[in-house]
Amino acid sequence: MLQVAARAAGSKGGDDLVALDVSEPLPLVDIFLLVSARSERNVAAIADEIEEQLLAAGHKRLRREGRQQARWVLLDFGDLVVHVFHDEERTYYGLERLWKDCPAVPIEAAEPVGWRSTDLSRADFKIAARM
């Protein structure tokens, strides 16, 4: 489910993807996927694509919030909760800081530019992509 959502986000220009294992503090959720976008239109497009791809893969959406304003869209698929942020909202709310004790979950990216995992920083991916 995480990989489907990550590929969908990447296909619409999602940036700085981070997956966190929140199963310890939140028993009803396993993973938060955080995604950034540069505009409201991009936030909406990324959220729509993630939702479409997860539904097509047979996953049930439990809740969606924030789509109309498209500054921070939350997609709740039970075990996976996706947060698609406008860059400014992501910085302001700082979910990575709030959940800093939760381990990162590796994301297998088909296209490495703009992705971040526990092993390589975003800059490392961009350098690797140029080689």
Side-chain angles (χ1 to χ4, degrees):
M1 186 180 331
L2 172 61
Q3 302 308 329
V4 171
R7 279 193 302 274
S11 75
K12 293 297 181 181
D15 195 26
D16 202 14
L17 279 71
V18 175
L20 300 173
D21 179 348
V22 295
S23 61
E24 186 68 31
L26 299 175
L28 299 177
V29 178
D30 288 337
I31 297 174
F32 277 179
L33 175 61
L34 311 178
V35 182
S36 292
R38 291 184 173 85
S39 68
E40 289 89 354
R41 177 177 252 158
N42 195 214
V43 169
I46 292 166
D48 290 348
E49 183 68 12
I50 292 170
E51 185 173 9
E52 182 180 314
Q53 293 301 318
L54 286 172
L55 291 173
H59 302 288
K60 182 180 177 188
R61 180 185 49 112
L62 304 177
R63 187 175 71 222
R64 176 179 62 192
E65 296 181 17
R67 173 61 177 82
Q68 191 168 4
Q69 295 80 18
R71 298 288 293 181
W72 176 2
V73 177
L74 180 142
L75 300 170
D76 183 354
F77 281 87
D79 292 337
L80 173 68
V81 175
V82 180
H83 300 269
V84 183
F85 292 98
H86 188 284
D87 286 332
E88 294 168 4
E89 266 63 23
R90 181 149 179 192
T91 301
Y92 180 79
Y93 289 104
L95 289 190
E96 287 98 334
R97 285 189 315 271
L98 290 173
W99 299 100
K100 67 183 176 196
D101 294 332
C102 296
V105 177
I107 300 171
E108 296 175 17
E111 179 60 44
V113 176
W115 296 63
R116 186 171 76 190
S117 75
T118 56
D119 298 328
L120 296 173
S121 71
R122 190 169 155 206
D124 292 332
F125 276 127
K126 286 183 177 180
I127 291 167
R130 287 186 212 139
M131 296 178 157

